[in-house]
C-alpha cells in the first residue's frame, strides 16, 4: 500500500526511490472510502478540474523538499528558498529559476529616527534576465514598500495578484533604533527579515512580476532612488488611506450581474477562506503565546526543583531531584524552540495568507470596477444614441455630426471596456489557478518543515528522559 | 446541565483508578482493607462509598459499606489530631476539599461563548471539560481513599474508636460532627497555624536528631511548597496549549475549510493537530503525577511539622513545670503537686520524643520510596509518549511526501488516531 518506514532516527535517509513507488499509485478507492462523511469526495473532483495542473501536481509528488535535519537553533525560519530548490531540477515546465534570501542585517547609524536597518538581499539565478549568476544589494524597509506600491499601481488593475508587503511597525522599529539590544528587539528584527524574505520570494515566483523592470532594478542595482511616498504618516500615506476607504464604499454600491459561475463561486470561496484563515491565525497566535508561557513556567519550576534537591538530605534522592531540574530546564529550551517554530512556520504563514487573500479579493474588486467602467461607457453610449436620434428627428445637422463622432468614440470605448473586462477575467482565472498551486506547495513545504521540528523536539525529549531514568532508579 | 454532570462514575472510576497518581505505602495487611469503589457527585457535594473488608473481631461484620461526605473525613482527622494519646504520631494529612471550581468556571465561560464558536469546537471543548471534571473527581476520590488507607496501615491509629465508627456507623455522621465542632470549635487549628514556626524554632533543642529534623523539615517545607506552586503553573500552561490545539483542530475539521483547502497536507495537519490535543492532555496527566506527588508530600510534611510543634509545646510545658517546681520549693508551698505535674510533663515529653523519632524515621523512608516510584513512572510515561508521538509524526511526514491521493489521507488519519 504505502511504504511504512520504521526507524527511530531522523528521516534524512529517505530517498526519492522509496517514495516514488506510491506517488502515482492507482486509485484504490475501495479501501478507504468507508467514511460516511468523506470530506474529500468532492475534493478529488475539484482537483481534476484543472487537469494540466493536476499532472504537474503529481509529478511534484516525490519532491526532495525534505532537507537534512537541521539542528534546532537554525530551524527558526522557513527557507522558502530551499523548498524551491526543486525549481532547478524541474525547469522543464518553467524557465523560471531564481532563488533569493535575505540575511546580514545591520543598523545603519544616524541621528535618532534617521537611523535605519539595512538588509542584504542576495540573489542566485540561472536566468538570462540577469547580468550575473549571483549578486547582492543593500536595501532598507521603505525600498520594499516602494517596490510593492509600484507593482500594485502597474498590475493590480489588470488582474494580477501582487503579493502584499509586510506591515509597518513604528513601535517595533523605534525600539531597535533606540539601540535596545534585547530579546524582543532581536525577535522583531528576525521577524521582519523573515517576512521581507518571504515577500520577495513570492514576488519573484510570479512569472510576470519577475520580468518587471522595477523588480529587476530592485534586485540588481546597487543604488535605488529613495521611495518617498511610503513614509509613515506622510501626506501620501494619508491620501492612500482615504482612497482605500473610498474604494470600500464604491465596492458596496457596485451591483454586478455575474454571468460567470466560476467567478461567483471563487469569490465566495475566497470570502470563506478569509474568515477561516483569520480565525485559525488567531488560534495559532494564542498557541504561540501559551507555549512561551509554558517555557517560562518550566524554567521557574526547574529552578525550584534544583533548590528542593539541595534541601533534600537523602543523597540519591537529592541527586535525582537536581537531575530532574536539569531535564526540565533542557525541555524548557526545547519548548522555546518549538514556540519559535510554531510561530514562524504556522503563524506567519497563516498571517501571510490572510494578507494574500486580501490581495486576491482586491483583484476581484478590480474586475468589478472594470466591469463597471464598461457598463458606464455602455450607458453613456446608449444616452448618446438616444440624443443622436433626437437630434436627427429635430434635424440639427452640425450637432448631429458631433454626436456621431462622440458615438464613434464611445463605441470604441465600449469595445475596449469589453476587451478589458474579458482580459482581466482571463488573467484572474490564470492567476487564481497559479495562486492555488503555489498555496499547495507553500503549505506543504512549511508543514513538512514544521513537522520536522516537532519530530526533533520529541526525539530530544526521549533522549533527556532516558538519561534521567537511571538516576531515578538509583534512588534507594 | 452545564454546571454539574451529576455523574455516577462507577465503572469509569474503577478503570481510571488503576492508574494511581500518588503511590503511598498502602495497606498490605489483609486484616483491614479499605477502598472507595464508588462516588456520586450531586451539586456541590460528593458522596463517597467507603467499603471495608476485615477479619478483625472488633467490627460487627466482615464486609460493609457506608456513605460518607468530605466533612466526615475532616471530622475524623480533627478528632485524631486532638486526641492527646496520638500527640507523638504523624497524623495523615486531611484530604483537601473537592474543588470543582476550575472546570466549573470554564464550563460557565464555555456556555457564555457558545454563540461565537462552531458546533464542532463547542462539542470538543465540552468533552475536554467533562474529562477535566472527571479527572478532578478521580483525584478527590483517590486522596480520600489514601487518607483512610494510611490510617488502616498505622498500628496505633487503626485501632482508634472514632476510626471504627467512621467505617462502620451506618447512619449519618453529621450529628456527631456537630457535637465535635461545639467541643473544640476549631480553636486548636487556629492556634497551631499562627504559633507554629515561632515555637518550633524558638525552643532550645537538647536532642541532635530533632535538631536536625527541625532544620530539615522547616527548610524542605518552604521549598516543596514553592515547587508545588510552580508545578501547578506548568500544568495550567499545558492545559492552555491543549485547549489551543482543540480550537485549531476543530477549525480545521470544519467542512468548509477542508473542502476549501482540500489538500492532503492540510488534512494531515488537521489530524496531526488533533493528536497533539491528546498529547496535551496526556502531558498534563503526567505532570499531574509530579504535581500531586509534591502536593501530597507538602501536606505530609506539614503533618510532620505539627508533630514537632506538639513536642516543642510539651518541652515548653516541661520547662514551665520545672520553673513552677522551683518556685514552689522557694515558697515551700504545693511542692507535691508541682513535683507530680513536673513528672507528668516529663513523661509526656519523653513519650512524644520516642514515638516522634520512630514516626519521623519511617516518614523519611516512605517519602524516599514514593518519590522514587513516581519519578520513575513519570520518566517512563514521558518516554513512551514521546516515542509514540515521534513515530506518528514520522508517519505523517512520509505520508505527506508520498501521496497526493486524498482518499488515503482520511483513512490513514483514522488509523493513526486509533493508535493513541
Amino acid at each position: 500500500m504505502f511504504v511504512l518506514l520504521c526507524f527511530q532516527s531522523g528521516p534524512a535517509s529517505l530517498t526519492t526511490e522509496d517514495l516514488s513507488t506510491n506517488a502515482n499509485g492507482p486509485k484504490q478507492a475501495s479501501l478507504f472510502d468507508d467514511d460516511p462523511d468523506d470530506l474529500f469526495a468532492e475534493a478529488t473532483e475539484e482537483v481534476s478540474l484543472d487537469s494540466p495542473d493536476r499532472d504537474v501536481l503529481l509529478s511534484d509528488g516525490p519532491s526532495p523538499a525534505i532537507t537534512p535535519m537541521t539542528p534546532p537553533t537554525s530551524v527558526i525560519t522557513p527557507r522558502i528558498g530551499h523548498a524551491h530548490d526543486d525549481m532547478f531540477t524541474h525547469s522543464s515546465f518553467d524557465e523560471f529559476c531564481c532563488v533569493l534570501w535575505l540575511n546580514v542585517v545591520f543598523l545603519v547609524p544616524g541621528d535618532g529616527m534617521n537611523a535605519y536597518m539595512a538588509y542584504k538581499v542576495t540573489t542566485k539565478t540561472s536566468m538570462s534576465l540577469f547580468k550575473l549568476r549571483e549578486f547582492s544589494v543593500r536595501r532598507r524597509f521603505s525600498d520594499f514598500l516602494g517596490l510593492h506600491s509600484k507593482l500594485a499601481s502597474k498590475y493590480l488593475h489588470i488582474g494580477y495578484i501582487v503579493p502584499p508587503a509586510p506591515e509597518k511597525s513604528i513601535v517595533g522599529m523605534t525600539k531597535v533604533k533606540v539601540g535596545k539590544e534585547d530579546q524582543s528587539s532581536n525577535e522583531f528584527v528576525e521577524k521582519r527579515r523573515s517576512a521581507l524574505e518571504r515577500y520577495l520570494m513570492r514576488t519573484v515566483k510570479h512569472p510576470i512580476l519577475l520580468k518587471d523592470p522595477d523588480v529587476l532594478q530592485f534586485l540588481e542595482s546597487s543604488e535605488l532612488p529613495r521611495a518617498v511616498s511610503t513614509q509613515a504618516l506622510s501626506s501620501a500615506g494619508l491620501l492612500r488611506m482615504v482612497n482605500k476607504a473610498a474604494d470600500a464604499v464604491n465596492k458596496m454600491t457596485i451591483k454586478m450581474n455575474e454571468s460567470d459561475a466560476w467567478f461567483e463561486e471563487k469569490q465566495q470561496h475566497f470570502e470563506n477562506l478569509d474568515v477561516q484563515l483569520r480565525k485559525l491565525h488567531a488560534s495559532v497566535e494564542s498557541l504561540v503565546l501559551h507555549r512561551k508561557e509554558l517555557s517560562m513556567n518550566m524554567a521557574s519550576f526547574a529552578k525550584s526543583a534544583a533548590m528542593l534537591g539541595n534541601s533534600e538530605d537523602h543523597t540519591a534522592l537529592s541527586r535525582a531531584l537536581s537531575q530532574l531540574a536539569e531535564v526540565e530546564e533542557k525541555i524548557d529550551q526545547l519548548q522555546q524552540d518549538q514556540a519559535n517554530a510554531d510561530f514562524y512556520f504556522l503563524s506567519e504563514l497563516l498571517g501571510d495568507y490572510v494578507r494574500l487573500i486580501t490581495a486576491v479579493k482586491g483583484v476581484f474588486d478590480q474586475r468589478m470596477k472594470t466591469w463597471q467602467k464598461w457598463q458606464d461607457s455602455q450607458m453613456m453610449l446608449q444616452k448618446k444614441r438616444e440624443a443622436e436620434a433626437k437630434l436627427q428627428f429635430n434635424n440639427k445637422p452640425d450637432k448631429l455630426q458631433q454626436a456621431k463622432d462622440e458615438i464613434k468614440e464611445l463605441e470604441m470605448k465600449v469595445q475596449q471596456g469589453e476587451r478589458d473586462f474579458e482580459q482581466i477575467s482571463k488573467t484572474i482565472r490564470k492567476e487564481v489557478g497559479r495562486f492555488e498551486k503555489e498555496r499547495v506547495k507553500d503549505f506543504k513545504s512549511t508543514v513538512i518543515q514544521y513537522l520536522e521540528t516537532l519530530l526533533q523536539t520529541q526525539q530530544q525529549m526521549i533522549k533527556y528522559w532516558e538519561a534521567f531514568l537511571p538516576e531515578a532508579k538509583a534512588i534507594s | 446541565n452545564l454546571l454539574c454532570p451529576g455523574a455516577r462514575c462507577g465503572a469509569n472510576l474503577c478503570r481510571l483508578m488503576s492508574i494511581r497518581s500518588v503511590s503511598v505505602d498502602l495497606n498490605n495487611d489483609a486484616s483491614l482493607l479499605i477502598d472507595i469503589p464508588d462516588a456520586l457527585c450531586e451539586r456541590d457535594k460528593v458522596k463517597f462509598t467507603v467499603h471495608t473488608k476485615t477479619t478483625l473481631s472488633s467490627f460487627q461484620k466482615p464486609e460493609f459499606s457506608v456513605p460518607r461526605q468530605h466533612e466526615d473525613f475532616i471530622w475524623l482527622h480533627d478528632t485524631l489530631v486532638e486526641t492527646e494519646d496520638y500527640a507523638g504520631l504523624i497524623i495523615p494529612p486531611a484530604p483537601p476539599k473537592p474543588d470543582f471550581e476550575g472546570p466549573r468556571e470554564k464550563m460557565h465561560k464555555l456556555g457564555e461563548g457558545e454563540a461565537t464558536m462552531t458546533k464542532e469546537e463547542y462539542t470538543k471543548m465540552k468533552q475536554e471539560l467533562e474529562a477535566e471534571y472527571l479527572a478532578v473527581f478521580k483525584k478527590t476520590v483517590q486522596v480520600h481513599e489514601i487518607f483512610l488507607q494510611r490510617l488502616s496501615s498505622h498500628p496505633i491509629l487503626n485501632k482508634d474508636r472514632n476510626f471504627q465508627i467512621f467505617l462502620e456507623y451506618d447512619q449519618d455522621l453529621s450529628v456527631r460532627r456537630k457535637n465535635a465542632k461545639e467541643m473544640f470549635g476549631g480553636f486548636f487549628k487556629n492556634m497551631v497555624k499562627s504559633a507554629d514556626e515561632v515555637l518550633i524554632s524558638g525552643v532550645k533543642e537538647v536532642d541532635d536528631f530533632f535538631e536536625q529534623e527541625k532544620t530539615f523539615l522547616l527548610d524542605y517545607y518552604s521549598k516543596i511548597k514553592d515547587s508545588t506552586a510552580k508545578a501547578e503553573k506548568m500544568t495550567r500552561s499545558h492545559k492552555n496549549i491543549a485547549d489551543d490545539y482543540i480550537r485549531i483542530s476543530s477549525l480545521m475539521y470544519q467542512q468548509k475549510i477542508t473542502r476549501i483547502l482540500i489538500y492532503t497536507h492540510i488534512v494531515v495537519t488537521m489530524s496531526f493537530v488533533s493528536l497533539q490535543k491528546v498529547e496535551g492532555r496526556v502531558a498534563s496527566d503526567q505532570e499531574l503525577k509530579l504535581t500531586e506527588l509534591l502536593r501530597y508530600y507538602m501536606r505530609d510534611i506539614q503533618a510532620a511539622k505539627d508533630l514537632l510543634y506538639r513536642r516543642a509545646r510539651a518541652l515548653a510545658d516541661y520547662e514551665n513545670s520545672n520553673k513552677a517546681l522551683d518556685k514552689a520549693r522557694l515558697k515551700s508551698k504545693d511542692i507535691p503537686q508541682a513535683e507530680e505535674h513536673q513528672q507528668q510533663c516529663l513523661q509526656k515529653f519523653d513519650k512524644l520524643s520516642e514515638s516522634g523519632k520512630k514516626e519521623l524515621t519511617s516518614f523519611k523512608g516512605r517519602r524516599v520510596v514514593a518519590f522514587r516510584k513516581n519519578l520513575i513512572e513519570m520518566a517512563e510515561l514521558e518516554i513512551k509518549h514521546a516515542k509514540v508521538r515521534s513515530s506518528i509524526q514520522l508517519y505523517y511526514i512520509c505520508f505527506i511526501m508520498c501521496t497526493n491521493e486524498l482518499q488515503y489521507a482520511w483513512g490513514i488519519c483514522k488509523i493513526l488516531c486509533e493508535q493513541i
Side-chain angles (χ1 to χ4, degrees):
Chain A
M1 248 272 78
F2 74 94
V3 182
L4 283 179
L5 300 155
C6 303
F7 38 78
Q8 288 299 81
S9 52
S13 45
L14 285 171
T15 57
T16 33
E17 294 94 85
D18 290 332
L19 309 172
S20 59
T21 39
N22 293 296
N24 304 323
K27 275 197 194 171
Q28 296 193 22
S30 49
L31 261 170
F32 291 102
D33 65 356
D34 52 332
D35 190 85
D37 38 314
D38 184 8
L39 302 168
F40 312 102
E42 287 161 277
T44 22
E45 269 187 283
E46 198 154 353
V47 172
S48 67
L49 265 174
D50 311 331
S51 32
D53 294 313
R54 177 170 157 83
D55 294 335
V56 170
L57 260 175
L58 286 177
S59 67
D60 269 353
S63 131
I66 279 274
T67 51
M69 293 283 235
T70 47
T73 44
S74 67
V75 113
I76 295 176
T77 48
R79 295 298 204 196
I80 301 190
H82 285 192
H84 295 277
D85 278 341
D86 60 342
M87 293 290 188
F88 287 98
T89 47
H90 286 242
S91 53
S92 50
F93 81 94
D94 205 353
E95 263 305 315
F96 167 69
C97 314
C98 173
V99 166
L100 56 80
W101 58 92
L102 260 79
N103 40 29
V104 183
V105 163
F106 43 92
L107 191 62
V108 174
D111 13 271
M113 296 307 287
N114 290 333
Y116 64 89
M117 193 62 86
Y119 303 90
K120 180 175 167 199
V121 181
T122 310
T123 313
K124 193 167 153 189
T125 177
S126 62
M127 294 176 80
S128 47
L129 266 182
F130 298 93
K131 303 192 196 91
L132 301 165
R133 299 224 125 211
E134 188 166 341
F135 45 90
S136 302
V137 291
R138 223 182 267 190
R139 294 286 176 258
R140 52 186 293 184
F141 186 66
S142 52
D143 294 335
F144 290 84
L145 294 183
L147 176 67
H148 169 74
S149 72
K150 281 193 208 141
L151 292 176
S153 63
K154 277 199 259 182
Y155 293 100
L156 253 182
H157 68 274
I158 48 175
Y160 286 101
I161 301 171
V162 177
E167 274 150 15
K168 274 182 162 293
S169 165
I170 301 176
V171 172
M173 212 43 215
T174 311
K175 275 211 287 198
V176 176
K177 286 184 186 175
V178 163
K180 233 173 153 223
E181 260 298 323
D182 70 339
Q183 180 74 345
S184 66
S185 48
N186 285 341
E187 277 177 15
F188 173 79
V189 169
E190 177 52 36
K191 180 176 164 181
R192 175 164 278 194
R193 185 208 64 80
S194 168
L196 289 173
E197 190 181 78
R198 292 194 308 271
Y199 161 67
L200 262 190
M201 268 309 292
R202 288 211 175 90
T203 307
V204 301
K205 272 191 277 164
H206 194 300
I208 307 293
L209 293 180
L210 175 60
K211 302 199 176 88
D212 184 276
D214 280 322
V215 171
L216 296 177
Q217 187 191 37
F218 183 91
L219 290 176
E220 272 187 314
S221 73
S222 46
E223 282 305 317
L224 207 64
R226 189 66 204 281
V228 180
S229 63
T230 63
Q231 277 156 359
L233 306 179
S234 65
S235 52
L238 280 173
L239 192 65
R240 264 179 295 136
M241 270 190 347
V242 167
N243 281 339
K244 263 203 183 131
D247 273 343
V249 171
N250 279 340
K251 194 175 98 176
M252 291 195 288
T253 55
I254 294 178
K255 204 53 179 101
M256 179 167 163
N257 299 336
E258 190 54 79
S259 49
D260 196 335
W262 186 92
F263 277 93
E264 189 159 343
E265 190 200 309
K266 281 297 173 187
Q267 253 183 302
Q268 193 55 46
H269 158 109
F270 282 111
E271 280 296 327
N272 294 337
L273 196 57
D274 189 26
V275 169
Q276 305 296 359
L277 280 182
R278 277 177 202 272
K279 277 197 205 156
L280 200 56
H281 186 217
S283 297
V284 173
E285 284 191 319
S286 164
L287 173 68
V288 171
L289 201 68
H290 285 142
R291 206 185 278 283
K292 286 206 167 123
E293 265 176 30
L294 174 65
S295 152
M296 253 176 20
N297 290 337
M298 272 193 157
S300 84
F301 173 75
K303 284 199 192 84
S304 180
M307 289 188 50
L308 187 66
N310 283 340
S311 175
E312 174 64 60
D313 60 355
H314 187 276
T315 336
L317 180 54
S318 167
R319 192 170 51 238
L321 285 173
S322 307
Q323 287 291 87
L324 179 67
E326 267 183 50
V327 169
E328 294 284 349
E329 205 181 299
K330 285 190 205 147
I331 293 183
D332 146 52
Q333 191 53 50
L334 277 184
Q335 292 286 8
Q336 259 186 51
D337 292 343
Q338 185 58 55
N340 281 331
D342 287 347
F343 177 71
Y344 282 104
F345 289 111
L346 290 186
S347 180
E348 289 283 85
L349 177 74
L350 288 168
D352 283 351
Y353 271 92
V354 166
R355 279 193 296 277
L356 270 168
I357 300 285
T358 309
V360 172
K361 293 208 295 190
V363 145
F364 278 97
D365 288 345
Q366 289 296 333
R367 178 173 168 269
M368 276 210 281
K369 271 205 196 138
T370 312
W371 180 85
Q372 190 67 44
K373 241 173 89 177
W374 175 29
Q375 296 298 38
D376 285 348
S377 30
Q378 243 181 352
M379 270 200 292
M380 280 276 277
L381 179 62
Q382 186 75 2
K383 276 205 197 119
K384 286 288 174 184
R385 284 208 172 119
E386 284 170 5
E388 187 213 21
K390 232 193 251 171
L391 284 176
Q392 223 163 32
F393 187 68
N394 293 337
N395 206 352
K396 298 247 174 91
D398 47 338
K399 283 222 176 116
L400 196 62
Q401 187 53 44
Q402 186 189 25
K404 276 197 166 40
D405 287 337
E406 283 176 352
I407 285 175
K408 239 205 193 79
E409 248 184 74
L410 276 174
E411 277 176 349
M412 284 187 43
K413 225 174 151 190
V414 165
Q415 273 177 21
Q416 183 60 41
E418 187 173 3
R419 270 202 300 271
D420 286 344
F421 180 71
E422 277 172 13
Q423 183 58 45
I424 199 177
S425 301
K426 206 168 103 191
T427 307
I428 290 179
R429 274 180 191 261
K430 244 186 24 200
E431 281 288 281
V432 164
R434 197 190 61 86
F435 175 78
E436 301 282 73
K437 210 167 65 167
E438 282 306 315
R439 189 154 62 98
V440 179
K441 280 208 195 119
D442 228 349
F443 270 91
K444 176 173 172 173
S445 75
T446 305
V447 161
I448 288 179
Q449 283 173 304
Y450 177 63
L451 286 180
E452 281 179 355
T453 68
L454 281 171
L455 182 61
Q456 189 129 45
T457 304
Q458 293 312 311
Q459 304 208 313
Q460 266 312 105
M461 275 181 76
I462 293 175
K463 286 208 184 89
Y464 292 150
W465 285 112
E466 281 183 338
F468 172 73
L469 199 53
E471 283 293 339
K473 289 191 170 154
I475 306 170
S476 58
Chain B
N1 183 5
L2 268 177
L3 290 179
C4 175
R8 174 165 234 128
C9 324
N12 278 353
L13 203 63
C14 286
R15 184 169 51 83
L16 292 168
M17 290 296 250
S18 61
I19 315 161
R20 295 199 180 286
S21 80
V22 178
S23 126
V24 180
D25 274 352
L26 303 172
N27 47 323
N28 301 316
D29 180 9
S31 64
L32 183 62
L33 291 171
I34 307 175
D35 72 319
I36 302 182
D38 193 10
L40 174 65
C41 171
E42 227 172 80
R43 289 174 189 271
D44 262 358
K45 294 252 172 240
V46 182
K47 278 204 169 69
F48 304 94
T49 305
V50 179
H51 168 253
T52 312
K53 222 168 151 176
T54 177
T55 56
L56 299 173
S57 50
S58 48
F59 290 92
Q60 288 171 7
K61 286 185 275 191
E63 188 166 353
F64 46 89
S65 287
V66 291
R68 290 288 176 253
Q69 291 177 26
H70 170 71
E71 286 73 19
D72 300 330
F73 287 77
I74 299 302
W75 164 80
L76 177 60
H77 173 260
D78 289 352
T79 49
L80 292 173
V81 165
E82 280 149 22
T83 307
E84 212 36 56
D85 283 345
Y86 304 146
L89 307 176
I90 297 177
I91 311 291
K97 193 175 158 94
D99 180 19
F100 295 102
E101 195 51 49
R104 187 176 299 140
E105 201 183 303
K106 271 175 153 180
M107 272 284 199
H108 190 68
K109 270 196 199 135
L110 185 67
E112 280 179 349
E114 185 178 353
T116 62
M117 53 182 87
T118 66
K119 187 161 159 269
E120 178 69 41
E121 190 182 330
Y122 178 74
T123 316
K124 282 221 167 70
M125 295 226 65
K126 188 145 177 268
Q127 279 173 3
E128 186 64 25
L129 272 179
E130 282 169 1
E132 214 176 293
Y133 201 97
L134 198 65
V136 172
F137 194 39
K138 168 185 105 175
K139 201 172 61 167
T140 193
V141 166
Q142 275 182 10
V143 149
H144 284 74
E145 191 185 67
I146 283 167
F147 171 69
L148 295 177
Q149 287 169 345
R150 277 281 297 275
L151 289 177
S152 70
S153 58
H154 195 289
I156 299 172
L157 292 173
N158 66 6
K159 297 189 180 55
D160 182 79
R161 177 81 192 118
N162 286 316
F163 183 45
Q164 191 173 342
I165 292 172
F166 178 94
L167 291 173
E168 232 183 359
Y169 188 64
D170 57 2
Q171 303 291 316
D172 198 350
L173 278 181
S174 50
V175 176
R176 283 185 168 257
R177 281 194 276 126
K178 246 189 251 153
N179 294 341
K181 245 201 181 136
E182 273 155 23
M183 276 176 66
F184 302 114
F187 177 65
F188 177 73
K189 276 237 186 74
N190 295 335
M191 251 190 71
V192 170
K193 286 326 171 208
S194 55
D196 211 328
E197 309 282 308
V198 177
L199 193 60
I200 293 180
S201 28
V203 148
K204 190 165 166 287
E205 191 50 68
V206 291
D207 190 331
D208 262 347
F209 174 81
F210 282 100
E211 180 63 39
Q212 270 179 3
E213 280 301 302
K214 189 174 70 181
T215 316
F216 169 69
L217 283 177
L218 286 177
D219 181 41
Y220 201 76
Y221 179 72
S222 71
K223 301 274 161 58
I224 203 172
K225 191 164 167 199
D226 185 59
S227 292
T228 308
K230 303 264 162 70
E232 282 171 352
K233 268 186 159 170
M234 267 203 312
T235 311
R236 259 199 299 272
S237 283
H238 259 289
K239 282 216 173 81
N240 284 339
I241 290 179
D243 286 343
D244 285 329
Y245 277 131
I246 291 175
R247 223 164 280 127
I248 292 171
S249 68
S250 71
L251 277 172
M252 288 177 136
Y253 264 118
Q254 275 168 55
Q255 275 277 10
K256 283 209 177 116
I257 214 177
T258 47
R259 220 188 297 142
I260 285 168
L261 294 179
I262 60 168
Y263 306 109
T264 315
H265 338 96
I266 300 303
V267 168
V268 171
T269 307
M270 149 193 91
S271 314
F272 169 80
V273 165
S274 63
L275 283 179
Q276 283 288 91
K277 165 194 83 166
V278 175
E279 173 245 301
R281 203 191 308 160
V282 155
S284 70
D285 280 346
Q286 288 159 26
E287 244 154 31
L288 223 55
K289 237 186 194 314
L290 181 64
T291 317
E292 281 310 295
L293 174 72
L294 293 173
R295 208 182 278 142
Y296 186 80
Y297 277 96
M298 183 178 84
R299 277 187 258 121
D300 223 1
I301 286 170
Q302 182 62 51
K305 277 168 66 186
D306 290 345
L307 168 59
L308 285 183
Y309 171 77
R310 290 193 288 270
R311 182 177 164 276
R313 205 176 48 160
L315 182 56
D317 287 344
Y318 173 59
E319 283 176 357
N320 287 339
S321 74
N322 271 335
K323 290 199 192 112
L325 182 59
D326 289 340
K327 237 199 220 163
R329 283 190 178 137
L330 269 172
K331 287 191 185 160
S332 300
K333 210 171 103 168
D334 296 325
I335 296 178
Q337 293 101 305
E339 276 177 349
E340 170 89 29
H341 181 60
Q342 191 234 34
Q343 276 310 303
Q344 279 176 352
C345 286
L346 182 61
Q347 271 172 15
K348 182 168 162 205
F349 175 70
D350 281 341
K351 187 172 141 210
L352 279 186
S353 296
E354 191 189 318
S355 126
K357 204 176 224 166
K358 259 196 292 195
E359 288 279 299
L360 287 170
T361 312
S362 75
F363 170 65
K364 187 187 304 275
R366 237 189 7 248
R367 191 181 79 243
V368 171
V369 166
F371 267 79
R372 176 179 191 274
K373 181 151 187 271
N374 276 282
L375 288 177
I376 291 175
E377 279 174 10
M378 190 177 80
E380 283 173 346
L381 271 175
E382 293 270 3
I383 292 168
K384 176 177 140 210
H385 283 112
K387 279 191 175 152
V388 170
R389 271 181 250 137
S390 67
S391 56
I392 283 179
Q393 280 151 17
L394 206 53
Y395 283 144
Y396 276 132
I397 292 172
C398 296
F399 181 65
I400 289 176
M401 288 166 45
C402 281
T403 176
N404 285 304
E405 298 299 327
L406 298 159
Q407 56 268 50
Y408 296 163
W410 192 235
I412 300 298
C413 293
K414 285 209 304 189
I415 292 173
L416 290 173
C417 280
E418 284 154 24
Q419 294 235 350
I420 293 280

